Amino acid sequence: MTETVHETPGTAGRGSSRPARRRRRLIPHLIAGVLAAAIFLGVADLVSQLFGPASSPLVSLGSTIITLSPSWLQDFAISYFGSNNKLVLYLSMGVVGMILAALIGALARRSLRLAVGLFSAVAVLLLIVVLLRPESSPLDALPTLVGAGLGILSLLLLSGAATGLTRAAEAAQADRAGSAPLDRPADTRGAAATRPSTEDERAHSRRRFLGLAAAGTAIAAGSITFGRSVNALGREAGSAAARLVLPSPAVRAAAIPAGASVGVDGVPAFITPNNDFYRIDTALVVPELAPQDWTLRIHGLVEEEVTIDMDELLDLPLQEHHITLACVSNPVGGDLLGNATWLGYPIRELLARARPLSEADMVLSRSIDGWTASTPLEVLTDEDRACLLAVGMNGEPLPAQHGYPARMVVPGLYGYVSATKWVTELEVTRFDAETAYWTDRGWDAEGPILVASRIDVPRPLARVASGEELVVAGSAWAQHEGIEAVEVRLDDGDWEAVELGDEVSIDTWRQWRHAFADVDSGRHSVTVRAINAAGETQTDERRDPIPNAATGQHRIEFSVE
Ligand SMILES: Nc1nc2c(c(=O)[nH]1)N[C@H]1C(S)=C(S)[C@@H](COP(=O)(O)O)O[C@H]1N2
Ligand SMILES: [Mo]
């Protein structure tokens, strides 16, 4: 019988067509590929705990993707996913990686050699990515090598088992159809007596594949979970041992009056708790910098180079200020801003020690991980502006994600030109001589914060119960200028002035609240605009964040029922 096997209803097919069966039989091969890749990366990540973070191929690949992504993509990720942008990066890497791994698995069914070759090529590529990271050393190759070795071994074992499964299934299939499987000797062909043995074989190969797949899943999941928890423990132990003890401030921030809050549920607290504070940076792994290893070097166009360490910094008369930080990538209505009480020392005083030369007009601050920001020297030396080298945030040492042990905080400028976290260097220079991380990617060299406002209540598309009054509330900010007024309008009605929360400082946001009376049931919209202390009204012209912040008025729709 040289014919191909045909469907015999009630025996072989169980109703499924041949292509469907083939597809089903591909599944173990896809699983083999995905598991082999997961073992590779999971084991490499676990072993990487013995080395630096860059030794994990996942971490290094992610960091490399961030550095290489075009500015529009980085901006999209920050604007749409905000503080979750790194999670989204890992998820996308996971999806692409899984597809690639499944393809390698499918390829292994046809040619194991090719599949192993492709798997090794990907491993070599990851090895290069790891070794090219600025922070990695040759030893950092080890985790990738160990992971890749185990990954290839798993691919061989799992693909072998998957092929065994497919063959046994085909044999059983052929037997049931009464025809000979092509890969069995002629003398066992077709006889009813062989059926139990092909069925046995099938069960056996199924057990073998499932056993291996279960073991593989356990190894992959176990190494990832274990690796990540070792990582978290190490981080905690490290930071607990090195914790700063903050001195009390020589100059305290003004107490926050109860009236700073308009008391509407749904408007974020006037002071943003550290855990809720937005986080934006290019660091896939938060830099670990012990206070005793930290120094800040001030150099460049200065008369005298100055270096200060943490003990010296903490001995200085520190000041406390409430300052609202904002990200230039914040979309209209977005939440990439937060308000904290910062403790630090005026950068102006440190610059005065170094005595900038008269031709200087910019300070290029640099973080331990090589990120840079260009800040106008004029702003940093402004007597009336609390530009801080900060060590404390809301009464605690800076959280690791927010720049521990020291960062810059500059009222009135977006973070990308001023708020350098993990800062270790201030280079006094000129705008026409040097550029910074984001200005190299198309953003404006100077980033003053634009007047802006947001509706926090009601939420977009909320259904509000009809009543005597409809309360709208939110936030408005124009750091270092101050908010003069906020206005809202219902649908296309007249602009109405709102009630403002007390001004704590011109460097902080203000809450606002307004009540509309007798709003008809049905769909409505509400729009907000702020006016700063210089009398400028927030424009209604919609513009993208790049190159110097989104503009437009926040408008939300809701319905009254
Ligand atoms: N070292 C370093 N500092 C940085 C950044 C960065 O990528 N690396 N991002 C800046 C940007 S764009 C913003 S908006 C603020 C955000 O500070 P936060 O994460 O503490 O809210 O940090 C700034 N400081
Ligand atoms: Mo930002």
Side-chain angles (χ1 to χ4, degrees), residues 94-126:
V95 170
V96 173
M98 235 156 95
I99 293 173
L100 181 64
L103 286 177
I104 292 180
L107 180 66
R109 187 184 180 183
R110 301 189 167 255
S111 161
L112 198 52
R113 194 177 296 171
L114 263 185
V116 170
L118 190 57
F119 196 96
S120 313
V122 172
V124 168
L125 211 69
L126 285 174

Side-chain angles (χ1 to χ4, degrees), residues 352-406:
R353 291 187 184 192
R355 299 194 302 279
L357 302 180
S358 61
E359 67 255 41
D361 65 2
M362 184 260 270
V363 172
L364 190 72
S365 48
R366 190 172 277 116
S367 62
I368 183 87
D369 62 336
W371 188 84
T372 50
S374 55
T375 315
L377 182 62
E378 196 188 352
V379 169
L380 293 178
T381 51
D382 183 350
E383 288 286 331
D384 297 320
R385 206 189 292 233
C387 303
L388 295 178
L389 175 63
V391 290
M393 181 177 183
N394 294 331
E396 287 171 25
L398 292 174
Q401 299 190 337
H402 297 288
Y404 185 79

Side-chain angles (χ1 to χ4, degrees), residues 457-479:
V457 176
R459 306 300 301 166
L461 304 181
R463 295 173 183 190
V464 184
S466 66
E468 259 167 42
E469 56 174 29
L470 172 87
V471 172
V472 284
S475 330
W477 57 95
Q479 287 92 319

Side-chain angles (χ1 to χ4, degrees), residues 78 278 280-281 326-330 336 371 414-417 438:
I78 293 173
Y278 82 100
I280 294 294
D281 54 61
C327 181
V328 70
S329 296
N330 196 32
L336 295 181
W371 188 84
Y414 288 115
Y416 82 103
V417 289
W438 285 109

Side-chain angles (χ1 to χ4, degrees), residues 299-318:
H299 64 109
L301 300 177
V302 293
E303 280 179 35
E304 191 183 341
E305 192 173 311
V306 171
T307 300
I308 178 170
D309 66 20
M310 191 51 79
D311 287 339
E312 287 172 79
L313 177 60
L314 297 182
D315 273 345
L316 292 168
L318 302 188

Side-chain angles (χ1 to χ4, degrees), residues 69-92:
S69 349
S71 150
W72 62 263
L73 184 60
Q74 290 195 51
D75 179 48
F76 170 83
I78 293 173
S79 291
Y80 282 81
F81 305 119
S83 300
N84 287 327
N85 67 63
K86 291 185 182 100
L87 184 64
V88 173
L89 170 67
Y90 274 129
L91 287 178
S92 328

